[in-house]
Amino acid sequence: MIDFMQVALKRLMRFVAVASIPFLAWQSAAHADPALWVLKDADSTIYFFGTIHAMKPGVKWHSDKLDAAFAASSELWVEETGDSDKAAMFQLVKTYGIDPHHPIADKLTPVQQARFVKVSQVVGLDPAAIDKFRPWLAATMLGGAVNGRTGFTSEEGIDHRLEADAKAAGK
């Protein structure tokens, strides 16, 4: 039987190893045209728009279709919200993201451990601190560190920008 944690950690290591490639390639992108899906029935229209949680400043991601859908909408629902409440996020991370009794290093081969340490150091994070995280939180932290090093911020994320626009429009 394949150990789920081993598979998750292998995926984490692969992700971190190549995480900077799309970000570096995207740095030169001046325009994004994300997909927009529409679901309708007799009295409702729902727009599905795949947002990106971190973005570089200046990326042009609006489209005429998206702007029209936003203007026609009375509500905005997003995948995640509330991460601006640092105390609440800290409590969630403390409760669900830290597992000092099952360090990541114990789940890795010696070669994977060396790669984990190297990748953590390259992105500016302390491998000993990350070792106490659950794999999903370690992946989030490593990915966030890559984002920060390449100029991406959550404040520029499309979901955050749309939320600000919705609040300003009273939606």
Side-chain angles (χ1 to χ4, degrees):
M1 182 172 141
I2 297 174
D3 178 28
F4 172 76
M5 291 303 293
Q6 191 70 11
V7 171
L9 288 169
K10 284 180 183 177
R11 288 182 181 162
L12 166 65
M13 296 310 291
R14 275 190 231 122
F15 165 77
V16 171
V18 298
S20 62
I21 293 171
F23 296 115
L24 295 174
W26 199 19
Q27 284 188 39
S28 63
H31 178 76
D33 190 14
L36 178 69
W37 293 270
V38 181
L39 180 64
K40 292 183 178 187
D41 68 8
D43 63 348
S44 303
T45 301
I46 300 172
Y47 298 97
F48 290 94
F49 178 64
T51 62
I52 299 170
H53 302 307
M55 184 77 75
K56 288 184 80 168
V59 172
K60 308 291 186 225
W61 53 268
H62 278 271
S63 69
D64 291 342
K65 286 190 289 186
L66 174 63
D67 291 342
F70 185 83
S73 298
S74 60
E75 296 180 23
L76 173 71
W77 290 58
V78 294
E79 172 189 7
E80 60 86 22
T81 188
D83 61 352
S84 61
D85 183 348
K86 302 297 183 201
M89 289 302 290
F90 176 77
Q91 190 58 44
L92 287 171
V93 165
K94 185 176 160 188
T95 302
Y96 300 109
I98 299 172
D99 185 6
H101 303 294
H102 302 98
I104 290 175
D106 288 355
K107 301 171 181 87
L108 303 174
T109 67
V111 171
Q112 291 170 327
Q113 286 178 18
R115 190 179 311 151
F116 175 76
V117 168
K118 182 177 181 179
V119 168
S120 299
Q121 291 170 336
V122 164
V123 299
L125 297 175
D126 178 7
I130 298 173
D131 192 44
K132 297 176 179 102
F133 294 167
R134 294 185 187 273
W136 68 266
L137 180 57
T140 300
M141 296 299 292
L142 291 167
V146 170
N147 281 347
R149 292 175 64 96
T150 56
F152 287 71
T153 69
S154 61
E155 291 80 19
E156 291 293 322
I158 293 174
D159 47 356
H160 290 256
R161 302 285 298 277
L162 286 174
E163 280 187 290
D165 292 347
K167 286 178 185 174
K171 297 183 185 212

